[in-house]
Every structure is written in C-alpha cells, then in structure tokens.
Amino acid sequence: MITKDTKNRILEAIRANRVNYPSDAKHAASLGITTSVYSAVKNGQTDRVLSDANWISIARKLGVSLRGEIEWKAAKTPTYLFITAQLEVCQSGGISAIMCDLPNIGKTFTARQYVKSHANAIYIDCSQVKTKLKLVRKIASEFGVDSKGRYADLYEDLVYYLRSIECPLIILDEAGDLQYEAFLELKALWNATERCCAWYMMGADGLKEKINRSIECKKVGYTEMLSRYGDRYSRVTPEDGKERNRFLLEQARIVATLNAPEGTNAGEIARKSGGGLRRVYTEIEKLKNSRP
C-alpha cells in the first residue's frame, strides 16, 4: 500500500513537473490520468482519487522512490556539463546529435535532470520500448498526446503537435536496443519534424558499433539517419586509457564530495568505485544507512 508520506512526495513531484507542460490537460494526459482526477490531486487530495497502481506509475515516470532512497544531488561533473550543453544547443536550435560513450558515467542521470527543468523536453528509455509501436506511443504519451487508437492517427497527431509547440526535444537513451523497424520510424519522424524538433540519441559504444556495422552492410536507413544526427558521435571520456581512468576517478570524487556524509574521504570512495558512479552511490548509501 502506498503511504501518505509517499503520496505527498509524488504530489510534490507532480507540481514541480507541471511547468514543463503547456496546460493541465496535457500534463494529466502525460501522467495517464483524467483532468478531473488531476485537478483533485493537484489541489492536494490524495485519498481515494487514484489506485496504488496509478500512484506507482506516476512515481516511476517522475523518478520518485517508493522505498525512501537517499537524497542525491546533481554534481556538475564533466559529463553532466558536456551533455547539458549539448542538449541546450540541440533544443534551442532544433538540431540532433548522438552521444556514444562508456556506461556508468552519468549520461542517464544528466538527461533525466535536464527534462525536469526544461519545458517540452522528454526522456525515453528505449530498452523499455524497443518496437516501433511502443516507441511512438511512448513519445506521444510523454507529450500528453492521446496514445490510444489507430496508429496512423496517433502518428499524425504526434507530428502535428511536435510542429506546433516551441522547441521540443526528444532524448532517446539506450537507443541501441531499438529494433530495426523502430530506427526506420525515427528517420520518418525526423523528416516530418525537420527543424521543428530536436532529437538526442544516447548509448554506449555498442550503439556506435551497431550503426557503423549496419552502414557497412548497406542496411537501408542507417546512413540517412546518421546524417540527420550530425554525421558524428559525441563522447566526453578521453580515448587514452590512463587519461580516461583519471577522468573517471575525478568524476567519482566530485560526486562523492557533494553527496557523501560530512567528514567522509571522497577520494577513498572514488578509489573503491573504480570511477563507476553506480558504485559511488552504493558506497554512499552504505555510509548513510550505517549512521544513526
């Protein structure tokens, strides 16, 4: 059962997320609830207006923990600054780019933080919507466009909406997990929203290898898609092994310094993590949970 405290935290996240949508109706649709229920929740009513399943769905969408995870502050690491700057340029100019780099350096965290504070920007985890139908319906629902009904109507409604709002941005994380048909549909969507919508594709080195291999095999659509995303792959980590290790350890130290309990040796946490930010979180969580 969802506790009252958890509902209140979800409610705070709903209110904070509202600024990213042009109307209550669009925001309600993006959360998967009716406007009447949305109005009640927005006004602070939490009892018997939503099922636990609805609360869980909204919490997942807005990144609200149901088990009281530790508070996590956004550290301005080189990865955070690099991706944020790229997203801002893409969104303001209606252009597209691809980011391919190591996993566990903060790409996903940065993208999620960005959409929290920028209107008309959405984040899509492509590993959860690998097919064409699921992907496009998910994009539509995130913008508050009706994602039910005939696919052809949904597609046209989504294109119309993207061309009508100011500076939309779609961040596609784990893009390497998408099926071939979904990649082709992304090319079609890009064509239909050229200069009206920005796209930012993210993944690890596997995404780069998948695209390059498909181009070498002359698989239809990949050369054109790469061209639409700038014809290059962005990365922030150094190519040289030693420089890369120093880079990762410094990032880990920056994150630990900001988030670890006072008096903690941030350098020691960084060394334990090997530069992996998920391990930094785990080490800090252990420290905070061990204190009274």
Side-chain angles (χ1 to χ4, degrees):
M1 182 176 178
I2 307 299
T3 66
K4 187 173 182 61
D5 177 66
T6 300
K7 289 178 180 178
N8 286 334
R9 288 191 290 110
I10 297 171
L11 182 57
E12 289 177 9
I14 290 173
R15 288 170 176 159
N17 188 241
R18 169 62 182 84
V19 299
N20 292 343
Y21 291 84
S23 66
D24 283 356
K26 287 295 182 188
H27 193 207
S30 76
L31 298 175
I33 57 179
T34 65
T35 51
S36 58
V37 169
Y38 176 87
S39 179
V41 171
K42 186 180 177 183
N43 290 327
Q45 186 176 342
T46 58
D47 294 332
R48 295 187 294 277
V49 292
L50 286 172
S51 67
D52 280 0
N54 286 135
W55 284 113
I56 291 170
S57 177
I58 295 171
R60 176 183 54 77
K61 171 180 169 51
L62 301 182
V64 179
S65 169
L66 299 180
R67 64 181 184 90
E69 294 176 350
I70 63 175
E71 178 186 2
W72 199 251
K73 300 173 185 176
K76 303 298 176 63
T77 64
T79 296
Y80 183 96
L81 295 173
F82 180 86
I83 293 178
T84 298
Q86 285 210 319
L87 291 173
E88 288 174 343
V89 169
C90 285
Q91 185 171 16
S92 63
I95 57 179
S96 304
I98 299 180
M99 169 76 168
C100 292
D101 212 325
L102 299 175
N104 201 12
I105 61 172
K107 299 190 299 295
T108 296
F109 179 85
T110 301
R112 288 185 178 276
Q113 288 294 116
Y114 183 90
V115 301
K116 287 181 180 180
S117 58
H118 291 77
N120 297 332
I122 66 165
Y123 169 89
I124 303 292
D125 179 356
C126 296
S127 69
Q128 303 302 309
V129 286
K130 301 176 183 179
T131 67
K132 178 185 78 172
L133 293 177
K134 287 183 177 180
L135 173 65
V136 177
R137 290 190 188 279
K138 179 65 173 175
I139 293 173
S141 68
E142 288 294 313
F143 278 112
V145 175
D146 185 5
S147 60
K148 302 177 178 63
R150 292 177 62 246
Y151 179 77
D153 294 333
L154 160 67
Y155 183 94
E156 293 298 328
D157 288 346
L158 175 59
V159 169
Y160 180 81
Y161 184 71
L162 291 175
R163 293 182 66 87
S164 67
I165 60 176
E166 184 179 359
C167 299
L169 167 68
I170 300 170
I171 302 172
L172 302 164
D173 196 8
E174 304 288 356
D177 288 354
L178 291 174
Q179 294 180 4
Y180 177 52
E181 191 179 33
F183 266 103
L184 291 181
E185 199 74 341
L186 284 178
K187 187 187 76 168
L189 276 171
W190 192 100
N191 289 344
T193 59
E194 185 175 1
R195 298 300 175 190
C196 298
C197 180
W199 300 79
Y200 192 80
M201 193 177 288
M202 296 197 310
D205 290 337
L207 171 61
K208 179 179 178 180
E209 293 172 4
K210 179 177 183 177
I211 294 173
N212 287 344
R213 184 170 61 250
S214 298
I215 291 173
E216 290 172 5
C217 296
K218 301 188 185 303
K219 201 165 185 178
V220 173
Y222 278 89
T223 299
E224 297 93 329
M225 190 198 68
L226 181 60
S227 172
R228 286 156 174 75
Y229 282 77
D231 268 326
R232 61 185 295 269
Y233 305 101
S234 300
R235 68 176 292 139
V236 64
T237 58
E239 296 280 1
D240 178 75
K242 290 183 179 179
E243 287 296 319
R244 184 167 58 248
N245 288 338
R246 280 194 287 268
F247 175 93
L248 296 175
L249 288 174
E250 177 59 14
Q251 281 210 144
R253 188 195 64 77
I254 292 171
V255 172
T257 299
L258 185 62
N259 288 282
E262 187 176 350
T264 302
N265 187 327
E268 183 178 349
I269 292 177
R271 287 189 292 275
K272 284 183 178 180
S273 73
L277 298 187
R278 292 187 183 90
R279 180 65 186 276
V280 171
Y281 182 93
T282 300
E283 292 298 326
I284 291 176
E285 189 176 38
K286 287 193 295 186
L287 285 171
K288 289 189 174 181
N289 289 338
S290 67
R291 299 192 175 190

